[in-house]
Amino acid sequence: MPLAPLYAAVDVGGTKIAGALVDDAGRLRHRLQLPTPATAPGPAVLAVVHQVLEQLADTPDWAAVTAVGIGSAGPVDLAGGTVSPVNIPGWRGFPLVAEVAAHPAVAARGLPVRLAGDGVAMAAAEHWQGAARGAANALCLVVSTGVGAGLVLDGAVRPGPSGNAGHLGHITVDLDGEPCPCGSRGCLEGLASGTAIARRALADGWRPPGGDRTARAVAASAAAGDPVALAAFDRSARALAAGIAATATLVDLHRVVVGGGVATAGEVLFTPLAHHLDRYAALGYVRGLDVRRAELGTDAGLIGAAALCR
C-alpha cells in the first residue's frame, strides 16, 4: 500500500531551530530541537538547519515525505526564497529555500520547499488545527523573543506578495520610541516581546530570583504580586492592545489568537490586555474582540510549516 503523505517541517527562530515530520492530521513525529547560534555567521546557522534535516532524513518515515515547509523569523521574501530575521544578524537576504532544496536528502528526492514567516506559519497552524478554526477573519500573534503575526482573511491565510502581511512586531506604536534593529523606531516588538519585558523590569529595579533574567521569571514574579514585574507586563499588554486594535480597525477582523512564550504567562498578560483593548478598540465594529489563547503551543510553527505544504 502507498505510504500516507508526511511533510518535513522546520521552524527557525532566534532561540531554537526545531524540526518534525507532520502527517495530514497535524500530528508530529520525530520532533527535535537545537539551539540557534543567533549571533554566529550565516553558515553556522545554516549548519544547524542541516543537522535538523539530517536527523529527520535518518528516520524510516522520511520515505513518505512529499514536501518541506519552513517557518522562519522574518522578514522573509517569498519571491526570492530569502530570509532576513531581525534577531539573526548573520542572515540578511539569506537564500534559505535554495540552501534547503540543495541539501542532499531533499535534493535526492526533488522535494518542493515552501517558505513562510513564523507569524504566517503560526496563523496557518491555528487556522488549521487550533484556536482560529472556523474563523473567517483573524489575527494570530506569536509573542516570544520577538513579535510576529499572520492574518486570516476571507477564510484563508494571507501572507501577501512578499510573505510579510501581518508583520505586527514592526509597526510603530511609540512615535518617540527607541530605535529598532529593523531600522524604524518605537516598534511594537521593542515594547511587547519577552526580551522587552525582561529588559524593562530589570531597568525598573526588578531583582531576578536565582539570577534568572528571562521574561518567564518576570511572569513568575508578576504572578506573585511583584509591582515592578506587573508593570512590565502591563506595558507589554498596552503595546499589544494598540497594535491589535489598529489591525482590527484596518482590516475588520473579529478573532485574535495570542501564542508564543510570553502568552504562557496567562492572566498576567491577558487581564491587562483585555483592559487596554477596551480602551484602544473603540469603534463599534471592533468592540468586543474575541481574544483567545493559542492552542498549539510551541508546536505551532512546525504544524504551520506543514500546513504550507498541504
Side-chain angles (χ1 to χ4, degrees), residues 81-170:
T82 63
V83 299
S84 303
V86 173
N87 51 4
I88 305 178
W91 278 4
R92 290 293 175 268
F94 190 81
L96 185 56
V97 169
E99 292 286 358
V100 168
H103 185 279
V106 178
R109 300 189 47 221
L111 298 174
V113 180
R114 311 291 185 214
L115 172 67
D118 55 358
V120 172
M122 183 264 198
E126 292 290 339
H127 192 236
W128 178 28
Q129 296 287 341
R133 280 190 310 270
N137 300 285
L139 172 67
C140 299
L141 294 94
V142 183
V143 188
S144 187
T145 308
V147 177
L151 287 167
V152 176
L153 300 174
D154 298 325
V157 178
R158 305 293 183 183
S162 71
N164 296 293
H167 199 39
L168 198 66
H170 293 284

Side-chain angles (χ1 to χ4, degrees), residues 1-7 22-25 27 29 61-66:
M1 294 180 63
L3 295 172
L6 294 172
Y7 311 105
V22 185
D23 69 17
D24 212 35
R27 294 182 293 252
R29 306 182 191 179
D61 288 326
W62 183 258
V65 171
T66 60

Side-chain angles (χ1 to χ4, degrees), residues 32-65:
L32 67 142
Q33 181 174 308
L34 298 173
T36 304
T39 59
V45 184
L46 178 64
V48 178
V49 174
H50 281 180
Q51 288 179 53
V52 168
L53 288 169
E54 284 155 12
Q55 291 189 46
L56 295 177
D58 282 342
T59 68
D61 288 326
W62 183 258
V65 171

Side-chain angles (χ1 to χ4, degrees), residues 265-307:
E267 291 308 313
V268 167
L269 174 70
F270 284 92
T271 295
L273 178 59
H275 169 73
H276 291 300
L277 274 172
D278 192 56
R279 174 185 177 189
Y280 288 118
L283 292 174
Y285 68 95
V286 291
R287 298 289 294 172
L289 286 170
D290 179 10
V291 179
R292 303 187 183 188
R293 301 184 197 188
E295 295 179 2
L296 302 177
T298 57
D299 291 333
L302 293 170
I303 295 171

